[in-house]
Amino acid sequence: MKRTSFLTLGAALLATSALAMDKTVTIASWGGSYQEAQSKALFEPAAANTGIEVKQETYGGMSDVRLQVSSGQVTLDIVASGSGSAARAAAEGLLEKLDYSVIDVSTFYDGLYTDYCVGGDVFSTVFAYNTETYGEDGPKTWADFFDTEKFPGTRAYRGKVAGALEPALMADGVPPEQVYEVLGSEEGIERAINKIRELKPSISVFWTSGAQHAQLMKDGEVDMSTGWNGRFDNAAKDGAQLSYGYDGALLDYDCFAVPKGAPNKDVAMEFLNEISKPEYQDDLPKWITYGPTNRAAYETGEITAEVAASLPSSPENAAKQLPVSLEWYAEWETIAAEMYQEMLTE
């Protein structure tokens, strides 16, 4: 009897161990210095602490998720996404509703998570300029960026609609607080696109990835580029001669979502809870200058006051910026993207 019980207990322990070892998630992000930062600060430590095996991939955004969901061949469990793209994907029914009985967001900043996407970092869309071309007293506003007479030189601009239209309207004289009101019609969208159309002869590259716009500035291939603050900071560390500011920047956040039909949905919820903890998020600024979405990350002592002051979500920097409207992206992104693509292919 004792031998039978011992064997039964041993079998149970082996089964439990096997179940733990079988926990796997496949995460897709955008590669480059951004995914490297995520991997070092979030994915690898969380995998080590939970025993969950993490498989990383790079992907092209929600269009890849749409293809997987529509074909019924979903292989991704977690995807990194811009907040606006996630809002639109959720409206299309491409994402699983997140389980906030598992994922603890009690110390998150308000507005940095939704039913379908939990915030991973706060970033800003800014423009950087080459300090060798313009000196330290270079362009300061979006109007300057679009002013090719005052600031001649080549530009790089976003090749996707996200983060492309708002700067154009501000350059065209629309106050930041009225930008999304103006964009709430096809006429307003066309106004923004026309402003970019005017600049198009000076746009050498319409970039499609953070790694690309950072490399363009690092190599000196363009004199100015829109892009993401953390990518520019990493390029500067690698020797790029550039500068940028937060005046009129777009304050946004990246988040993590679970595609509809993800093969390891429950494990994904568990893993998202882990990487949302402050002891992981407080390490992210060591690798890329994006702010944490969990405000408790500022209380662990890992983020110094000096570093905090340089992050997009610091109170001083945030006050200068236009927060991205997820409501606008959910309602208008598809229409705006079609109109923007027409301009790109003219």
Side-chain angles (χ1 to χ4, degrees), residues 67-94:
L67 181 61
Q68 288 198 4
V69 173
S70 63
S71 66
Q73 302 293 320
V74 181
T75 61
L76 303 175
D77 299 304
I78 297 171
V79 295
S81 174
S83 59
S85 296
R88 180 60 194 165
E92 289 184 44
L94 301 178

Side-chain angles (χ1 to χ4, degrees), residues 202-252:
S202 295
I203 299 174
S204 299
V205 180
F206 280 96
W207 58 267
T208 56
S209 74
Q212 184 185 13
H213 74 62
Q215 194 67 40
L216 287 168
M217 290 301 295
K218 183 180 175 183
D219 293 344
E221 291 189 29
V222 295
D223 298 304
M224 301 186 207
S225 179
T226 62
W228 301 313
N229 72 285
R231 296 281 194 162
F232 286 137
D233 284 335
N234 280 2
K237 290 177 183 176
D238 290 340
Q241 302 299 309
L242 63 80
S243 182
Y244 70 85
Y246 285 111
D247 287 332
L250 305 182
L251 185 64
D252 201 352

Side-chain angles (χ1 to χ4, degrees), residues 254-333:
D254 290 315
C255 57
F256 294 109
V258 176
K260 194 78 172 179
N264 300 293
K265 182 178 75 170
D266 292 342
V267 182
M269 301 297 172
E270 181 182 342
F271 196 76
L272 287 177
N273 177 62
E274 189 71 13
I275 62 176
S276 296
K277 293 177 180 178
E279 57 264 34
Y280 298 98
Q281 286 209 2
D282 64 7
D283 280 339
L284 194 62
K286 296 176 183 178
W287 305 104
I288 196 165
T289 48
Y290 294 154
T293 53
N294 190 331
R295 65 177 182 271
Y298 284 107
E299 301 168 4
T300 65
E302 287 294 314
I303 301 175
T304 66
E306 181 182 5
V307 170
S310 71
L311 298 177
S313 54
S314 73
E316 181 180 353
N317 292 332
K320 303 174 183 177
Q321 302 180 64
L322 171 64
V324 166
S325 170
L326 300 189
E327 292 78 12
W328 183 85
Y329 277 95
E331 182 176 358
W332 286 100
E333 184 179 20

Side-chain angles (χ1 to χ4, degrees), residues 156-162 164 205-209 226 340-341 344:
Y157 206 80
R158 185 81 197 267
K160 297 180 181 178
V161 78
V205 180
F206 280 96
W207 58 267
T208 56
S209 74
T226 62
Y340 194 63
Q341 185 61 34
L344 292 177

Side-chain angles (χ1 to χ4, degrees), residues 16 40 44 107 123 206 228:
T16 302
K40 290 178 177 177
E44 293 174 17
T107 54
F123 72 97
F206 280 96
W228 301 313

